[in-house]
Amino acid sequence: MLLDLSLPDAHGLDGLRRLQAAYPAMPIVVLTGLSDPATSFATIQAGAEDFLVKGQGDGELMARAIRYAIERKRNQMEVLEAKERATLVARQNKERE
């Protein structure tokens, strides 16, 4: 999903957090007109997969960012699922003892 931080209904990191809450398995790439390292760092810390500045780069950069975001999110979800399975197995083994 591409998120523009300057949209009126999704302004700033609040929009990112709302999307993450509604679609936790969806990779989010943030687009913005701001070329501010602090904003980009805060956006990644808040859970965006990538941060792109409008007008910088080309279509190939955006396509690569989207592909990588999808792969990172897929890997993240696989790790979470494996952790949940391991917790469940450990709990079941403990109950059998």
Side-chain angles (χ1 to χ4, degrees), residues 3 40 56-57 63:
L3 172 65
S40 64
Q56 293 184 2

Side-chain angles (χ1 to χ4, degrees), residues 47-67:
E49 297 297 326
D50 210 338
F51 180 90
L52 300 173
V53 178
K54 294 177 192 175
Q56 293 184 2
D58 57 11
E60 180 56 34
L61 174 67
M62 184 177 291
R64 187 181 76 211
I66 292 168
R67 284 192 310 269

